[in-house]
Amino acid sequence: MENRVKRVIIYARVSSDRQDVDLSISAQLKALRDYAARNGYVVVKEFVDEAESGRSTARPSFREMIGLARTKQAPFEMILVWKLSRFARNREDSIIYKSLLRKQGIQVVSINEPIEDTPTGRLMEGIIEVIDEFYSSNLGQDIKRGMRENASRGFFNGSRPPFGYVRKKIKDGDKERNSLEPNPKLLPIVQRIFNEITNEKGLKEIAKGLNRDGVPAPAGGKWGKQRLHKILTNEAYTGRLIWGKVHKGKTSLPPVIKDNAWPAIVDKSVFENVQVTLSERAPKVTHPRVASSNYLLSGLVRCRNCGASYIGYGAKSGQFHYYVCGTAYSKGKEACPSQHLPQEKLERFVTDKIKGYILTDGHLLDLIKQSNEAFDVADNKRKERVGVIDKEIEQWQGRLERLYDFVETKKIEPDRMAQRIADVQDKLNLMRQAKLDLENGQGANRAAYIDPQKVLSYVAELRHFLDERGLFERKAFLRSFIEQIRVGDNKVTLDYTLPFPPTNIKQETVSVLDIVSSAPPNQIPSIDKSILSVGGFLFA
């Protein structure tokens, strides 16, 4: 939301240094809360470190605050402090942690030192960023130099060894480094794969045989063409180490190549012959945007039997197009006995359902009315709950301030009150987060309120939309009404995103015979793999 309230957290600290004459914890918290209220900020959490030195980052609440900031979606955009010295007095720590927070989109603001609003402040920010960039770049170069040297001596830098190998520790002076050695349990599997491809078996046939024999695949699951191709093209099986391959468009040092770095599983001549075989079998690849343009429902259709996505492929040099289960295509009918569906019939069936069943004046008016009524009810409940939480926050803030007063006047020993203060702070943080969630929900509901007349004025255009617009727009339009399409057991089930009136159903199941007049062929010859599309991507 554009007008969403800015979320902030408060950090307060008093030092163990007797010369520290800054405000007490309760006074800092009061000033910081007042500042947040004046600026319309929502305080989602408070962090407090008592009797902790700012020269060290080994502060419990400080560490917890930084950890929360590093999460994928931090629940705040700003940290408020009384003074910057409350955040850190060590220049190096300040640079590192403020830089880390900036990368997360989080700003540290001192309510008594607004340096960000002055030319000098902005200059200092720029200097800090340059210093941080230098530190980061220099550290990265040091790490790469070390890994390059490690690889040039024949040691393994990776975290996960190739399938068929295990890591082996080797003594190197006072240190231990990694190399590879064949895994006796997996070695025969790798050799079988190379032997079968050499004996003219295809990837699909090899995968079916491995799955039929119950041979374990890398990281579990079933064998497929992609896993086999990855093994068959990996030079590590010849004992060759390759580290630091140059990425396209980037200038870099040449890769480190070390032959006989570890025991080989496959002879080099066998490996080279396999590469020739794979190259000869590889079909001419078509750009994904060209191939995916034929399949309107890519990513929507799923197999009821195995849960895999249905993919589109062409037969007879692209004369015929079908949707088929990805598992059945890559691993055979033994892995999944699903049906083939003609592309044109399935797509026409789905679009006719949307146009004739959903996009009608009566259905849309009923749906809009129900949606807006639900928004109103939800908003009223949220407003009532926000009022209750506001009163609770006020009461618990009063309790917390009284506890700090007791500690500072030495009426009660700090050790006896520490747990009670922590419990009250946790309670306040939970209530603030609950209030923020409710307020954000109210804003979302207001934005989602639907104008019936505006929608109805576009009904005719919406019906033509599915026939006349480009593929990208039509795909997005379908996804606003259909959650997924499940195929299996001779049935096709449409799961709608909303319950549609008058019956308020959210799901509809029809016989596959309504789409396919006759059973699909068991095998379709001359598959044109160059247009094989899976959710907009190509597979050869």
Side-chain angles (χ1 to χ4, degrees):
M1 293 185 302
E2 294 183 1
N3 298 322
R4 190 182 67 178
V5 177
K6 180 166 285 190
R7 302 165 300 171
V8 304
I9 64 172
I10 284 173
Y11 178 71
R13 180 183 64 82
V14 290
S15 176
S16 56
D17 190 343
R18 293 183 179 179
Q19 295 180 353
D20 191 333
V21 295
D22 269 334
L23 294 180
S24 64
I25 289 291
S26 60
Q28 286 183 49
L29 290 175
K30 185 177 186 306
L32 290 166
R33 289 171 189 156
D34 290 344
Y35 180 89
R38 287 196 306 271
N39 288 276
Y41 301 154
V42 171
V43 179
V44 298
K45 197 163 186 177
E46 294 179 355
F47 291 94
V48 174
D49 278 314
E50 300 180 56
E52 298 286 354
S53 172
R55 297 185 181 92
S56 169
T57 58
R59 297 169 257 157
S61 292
F62 182 86
R63 285 185 169 183
E64 183 184 353
M65 176 179 69
I66 297 299
L68 184 61
R70 296 182 68 178
T71 56
K72 188 173 182 180
Q73 291 184 331
F76 58 93
E77 295 94 37
M78 184 183 293
I79 297 174
L80 298 181
V81 293
W82 168 249
K83 287 185 178 179
L84 290 177
S85 61
R86 300 299 89 193
F87 182 76
R89 282 184 173 174
N90 181 297
R91 177 179 174 81
E92 185 177 356
D93 288 341
S94 180
I95 290 172
I96 291 172
Y97 284 99
K98 288 181 73 176
S99 174
L100 182 150
L101 292 167
R102 277 197 303 273
K103 291 176 182 176
Q104 297 292 106
I106 298 171
Q107 184 182 9
V108 179
V109 173
S110 165
I111 65 173
N112 288 296
E113 300 162 323
I115 61 170
E116 288 81 2
D117 295 333
T118 65
T120 302
R122 287 191 292 272
L123 176 62
M124 288 302 299
E125 285 291 319
I127 293 172
I128 289 172
E129 289 175 358
V130 170
I131 293 173
D132 176 64
E133 184 178 357
F134 170 77
Y135 283 161
S136 177
S137 176
N138 195 51
L139 179 61
Q141 290 177 7
D142 288 343
I143 292 172
K144 286 182 179 179
R145 279 195 293 269
M147 294 180 74
R148 190 174 185 83
E149 173 64 21
N150 198 52
S152 67
R153 297 177 59 197
F155 296 117
F156 180 66
N157 280 325
S159 58
R160 178 180 295 178
F163 180 81
Y165 282 103
V166 292
R167 279 188 295 179
K168 176 185 178 181
K169 293 292 184 181
I170 295 179
K171 194 74 173 177
D172 181 38
D174 296 334
K175 296 182 179 180
E176 282 190 340
R177 302 190 186 275
N178 290 323
S179 185
L180 299 178
E181 65 178 1
N183 184 331
K185 294 181 179 180
L186 302 179
L187 172 63
I189 301 174
V190 177
Q191 291 176 334
R192 170 179 170 174
I193 292 169
F194 275 90
N195 288 336
E196 291 189 354
I197 194 74
T198 303
N199 293 325
E200 302 301 324
K201 281 191 176 183
L203 296 182
K204 184 176 179 180
E205 188 179 0
I206 297 173
K208 288 170 64 176
L210 293 169
N211 292 327
R212 183 180 59 247
D213 296 341
V215 176
K222 297 287 186 181
W223 286 95
K225 294 166 66 176
Q226 286 179 299
R227 282 179 170 172
L228 290 173
H229 192 273
K230 185 176 181 180
I231 288 174
L232 291 168
T233 56
N234 191 345
E235 290 189 72
Y237 294 107
T238 66
R240 170 174 281 191
L241 180 155
I242 301 177
W243 184 87
K245 286 187 177 181
V246 179
H247 296 286
K248 186 176 181 181
K250 294 184 179 181
T251 57
S252 179
L253 293 171
V256 175
I257 299 176
K258 184 81 172 177
D259 286 320
N260 303 315
W262 43 72
I265 292 178
V266 178
D267 186 79
K268 288 183 180 179
S269 62
V270 173
F271 182 86
E272 290 171 359
N273 290 334
V274 168
Q275 307 315 301
V276 173
T277 300
L278 292 174
S279 177
E280 290 175 348
R281 293 180 183 178
K284 183 180 179 181
V285 177
T286 304
H287 194 281
R289 283 197 294 267
V290 176
S292 64
S293 64
N294 294 327
Y295 299 98
L296 177 64
L297 304 178
S298 60
L300 274 178
V301 188
R302 301 194 73 85
C303 179
R304 194 193 301 271
N305 296 318
C306 68
S309 293
Y310 261 63
I311 63 177
Y313 73 90
K316 298 291 186 181
S317 299
Q319 295 180 50
F320 305 100
H321 298 276
Y322 296 84
Y323 285 94
V324 64
C325 169
T327 301
Y329 175 78
S330 62
K331 300 173 184 176
K333 280 286 186 180
E334 295 84 357
C336 182
S338 56
Q339 292 114 335
H340 294 62
L341 298 176
Q343 176 202 7
E344 183 179 355
K345 289 185 178 181
L346 180 60
E347 292 178 358
R348 176 54 56 190
F349 170 80
V350 173
T351 54
D352 285 348
K353 277 289 181 184
I354 298 296
K355 289 190 292 183
Y357 176 61
I358 295 171
L359 297 179
T360 66
D361 290 2
H363 288 178
L364 285 176
L365 281 175
D366 287 341
L367 180 60
I368 293 167
K369 181 180 179 182
Q370 291 179 13
S371 299
N372 288 341
E373 287 175 353
F375 292 150
D376 290 339
V377 171
D379 271 343
N380 290 334
K381 289 182 179 179
R382 287 189 181 93
K383 289 175 182 177
E384 292 176 3
R385 182 58 183 151
V386 167
V388 172
I389 291 177
D390 277 335
K391 292 181 180 178
E392 292 179 355
I393 289 176
E394 185 178 351
Q395 293 173 357
W396 283 96
Q397 281 183 343
R399 293 182 188 181
L400 184 61
E401 290 173 2
R402 288 194 293 273
L403 290 174
Y404 280 126
D405 288 340
F406 278 129
V407 172
E408 289 164 6
T409 56
K410 298 185 179 180
K411 292 181 180 179
I412 299 179
E413 290 297 320
D415 292 344
R416 294 175 56 192
M417 297 298 293
Q419 186 58 49
R420 179 59 178 160
I421 290 173
D423 291 342
V424 174
Q425 287 174 334
D426 288 342
K427 181 70 175 178
L428 274 169
N429 290 333
L430 287 173
M431 288 189 291
R432 290 190 181 104
Q433 185 60 50
K435 177 183 176 182
L436 181 63
D437 291 342
L438 289 168
E439 289 177 338
N440 287 342
Q442 285 178 350
N445 274 1
R446 287 193 293 272
Y449 193 86
I450 305 168
D451 182 353
Q453 297 306 317
K454 186 176 292 186
V455 172
L456 288 181
S457 66
Y458 293 117
V459 167
E461 294 181 25
L462 293 175
R463 294 193 189 101
H464 292 293
F465 194 98
L466 288 171
D467 295 323
E468 299 175 355
R469 300 302 292 270
L471 178 76
F472 180 82
E473 292 91 346
R474 293 161 65 205
K475 277 186 176 182
F477 189 69
L478 279 178
R479 280 161 175 73
S480 65
F481 295 107
I482 296 179
E483 187 173 306
Q484 67 174 345
I485 302 166
R486 290 174 291 138
V487 180
D489 301 327
N490 294 314
K491 294 181 291 187
V492 175
T493 300
L494 281 75
D495 292 327
Y496 299 113
T497 56
L498 291 171
F500 289 100
T503 57
N504 285 331
I505 62 169
K506 198 176 178 182
Q507 186 182 94
E508 185 177 10
T509 301
V510 299
S511 169
V512 74
L513 296 178
D514 293 344
I515 302 170
V516 184
S517 57
S518 60
N522 292 327
Q523 260 190 345
I524 299 176
S526 304
I527 294 176
D528 182 0
K529 296 178 183 177
S530 67
I531 61 169
L532 175 59
S533 166
V534 184
F537 296 94
L538 291 187
F539 288 81

